[in-house]
Amino acid sequence: MRQITVTEHLLVHQKASAMATGRFTRLLNELILAAKIISREVNKAGLVDVLGFTGEVNVQGEQVKKLDEYANRVIIHRMERAGVLCAMASEENADLIEIPAKFGQGDYILIFDPLDGSSNIDVNVSIGTIFSIYRRKDGTRPVVLSDVLQKGAEQVAAGYFIYGSSTMMVYTTGNGVHGFTLDPSVGEFLLSHPDIKIPEQGKIYSINESYWHYWDEPTKQVVSYFKSPENEIKRPYSLRYIGSLVADFHRNLLYGGIFMYPADSRDPKKPSGKLRLLCEANPMAFIAEQAGGMAIDGQRRILDIEPQELHQRVPLFVGSKKDVQKVADIYKCST
Ligand code: AHM
Ligand code: MG
């Protein structure tokens, strides 16, 4: 059977777009190369001295793991030289990352989480890189923060790389969701999951249930619903939680189900939960909707939220349409 590489797939889709200039393909190709480099490093993580903490604390107040820092550096290094970006934002950097004038500028904005699920690095459990791409609205002046704070519905592309039992790339440009698996023997991502559709209703719920005592009543009701033998599917959903958003989301995308990271009262500084709107919730919401699923913060569609700051956190409920709708219904009844 003829194998379709991700580059071929991009070129075919680019031809179908009136705005195609080749610059977007260049952007994604550079990102793919960065991910291949990260994947190589993740795969040999136990062999070389890249595990463990660097001793630094990132902008979120979390310990920075060495591989996180490495992945962040690789992406910034490659992408700032691509000549197609006007700015970047990373989960690991407090401020916007400017593109030095000497490398040339373009109109695209790249937002990313270089290595998501980093608590799993040391124990050989799947982790990933998440990306979200926008186009700036005003190219007549240097880029400012408000150019980057666009709502998720404005994304031109989003996706993730998952470093699991194999390395995969899943992406959307608003034209369905497509998955590619890295064939290490040829070093190419090959189309393995064309036009992914998430089942309308799942059998899996994914949440860190140890925070039960920090949730409000509607959130407890939501989780009780999925555990109940009297729910719509007449049996308890299976609980599956890896603690890597990319891996939990990817499994639910293929099998059907719901991922939840609600608000909780553990830390008064993070009343909206843990996940970040720009680099985690928005890209996953775009992919979920393109696959026929849904993503909300409890009441609102994630993609309609107007961001106020770069590292804004948001409650996230994402996955199969009927399951996410159920959450919306429960929250609605309780307000
Ligand atoms: P990270 O970007 O620092 O790795 O944090 C995000 C991760 C997600 O991948 C995952 O869904 C969540 O944190 C798990 O958090 P918790 O340990 O509170 O369940
Ligand atoms: Mg993350």
Side-chain angles (χ1 to χ4, degrees):
M1 194 186 80
R2 201 178 105 66
Q3 305 279 8
I4 299 173
T5 67
V6 66
T7 313
E8 282 176 289
H9 193 264
L10 276 167
L11 288 170
V12 169
H13 279 247
Q14 186 187 282
K15 273 190 198 136
S17 158
M19 292 182 305
T21 59
R23 297 175 77 79
F24 178 71
T25 306
R26 168 143 182 74
L27 192 172
L28 275 190
N29 272 332
E30 277 305 318
L31 198 57
I32 288 165
L33 182 52
K36 284 181 189 170
I37 295 168
I38 296 167
S39 174
R40 184 191 63 195
E41 227 47 38
V42 167
N43 285 336
K44 63 180 188 193
L47 294 172
V48 288
D49 184 28
V50 288
L51 294 178
F53 294 107
T54 60
E56 283 171 26
V57 171
N58 73 5
V59 290
Q60 320 282 344
E62 298 152 340
Q63 291 276 346
V64 179
K65 293 247 176 167
K66 283 184 189 171
L67 258 179
D68 297 31
E69 201 185 68
Y70 176 81
N72 200 36
R73 278 206 313 268
V74 168
I75 295 175
I76 294 171
H77 180 87
R78 292 223 68 84
M79 300 313 296
E80 68 184 359
R81 286 165 174 75
V84 294
L85 297 178
C86 56
M88 285 185 271
S90 163
E91 186 191 296
E92 301 293 344
N93 296 59
D95 302 314
L96 270 190
I97 302 164
E98 288 171 11
I99 309 295
K102 63 180 179 190
F103 295 137
Q105 298 244 335
D107 283 331
Y108 290 105
I109 296 161
L110 171 67
I111 303 178
F112 60 96
D113 181 350
L115 214 51
D116 178 69
S118 40
S119 66
N120 285 313
I121 292 175
D122 290 357
V123 288
N124 218 343
V125 171
S126 300
I127 46 182
T129 298
I130 308 174
F131 62 91
S132 164
I133 299 166
Y134 293 82
R135 201 180 276 116
R136 74 168 146 185
K137 299 260 164 64
D138 183 351
T140 61
R141 51 161 173 74
V143 72
V144 290
L145 185 59
S146 58
D147 294 314
V148 177
L149 297 180
Q150 300 183 37
K151 58 183 183 183
E154 310 278 359
Q155 288 172 102
V156 294
Y160 56 81
F161 297 89
I162 176 165
Y163 312 111
S165 44
S166 49
T167 295
M168 274 193 75
M169 172 186 178
V170 172
Y171 87 104
T172 182
T173 52
N175 198 359
V177 178
H178 310 285
F180 301 79
T181 303
L182 183 63
D183 180 341
S185 65
V186 290
E188 286 280 4
F189 281 99
L190 302 175
L191 184 62
S192 52
H193 297 67
D195 201 15
I196 297 170
K197 293 291 173 216
I198 186 168
E200 201 182 11
Q201 186 156 38
K203 299 187 182 82
I204 293 172
Y205 77 108
S206 310
I207 191 166
N208 189 337
E209 215 168 317
S210 69
Y211 305 138
W212 176 274
H213 294 287
Y214 301 98
W215 293 334
D216 59 16
E217 277 312 309
T219 306
K220 289 179 181 170
Q221 267 181 49
V222 162
V223 176
S224 298
Y225 166 81
F226 289 112
K227 291 153 71 107
S228 166
E230 301 308 321
N231 60 26
E232 262 174 39
I233 65 166
K234 296 287 171 227
R235 67 180 175 87
Y237 282 56
S238 291
L239 169 59
R240 296 283 182 272
Y241 192 71
I242 296 169
S244 275
L245 172 63
V246 172
D248 280 310
F249 177 89
H250 184 69
R251 181 202 52 241
N252 293 1
L253 179 68
L254 298 183
Y255 288 169
I258 182 165
F259 174 91
M260 302 179 271
Y261 206 115
D264 64 58
S265 61
R266 260 176 305 156
D267 181 350
K269 280 188 272 170
K270 298 176 192 168
S272 299
K274 178 180 184 186
L275 300 180
R276 296 81 172 173
L277 175 61
L278 294 185
C279 66
E280 294 173 322
N282 272 338
M284 293 318 196
F286 189 20
I287 297 166
E289 287 197 6
Q290 282 294 314
M294 203 171 151
I296 59 169
D297 72 348
Q299 354 275 327
R300 293 171 296 176
R301 180 182 178 229
I302 291 286
L303 297 182
D304 284 338
I305 299 174
E306 294 280 358
Q308 305 301 316
E309 49 180 301
L310 213 45
H311 294 284
Q312 183 171 336
R313 294 175 194 264
V314 70
L316 177 64
F317 301 85
V318 60
S320 293
K321 200 175 223 162
K322 282 193 172 172
D323 299 327
V324 179
Q325 186 57 52
K326 190 73 204 174
V327 174
D329 295 343
I330 294 173
Y331 276 108
K332 207 174 193 169
C333 288
S334 65
T335 50

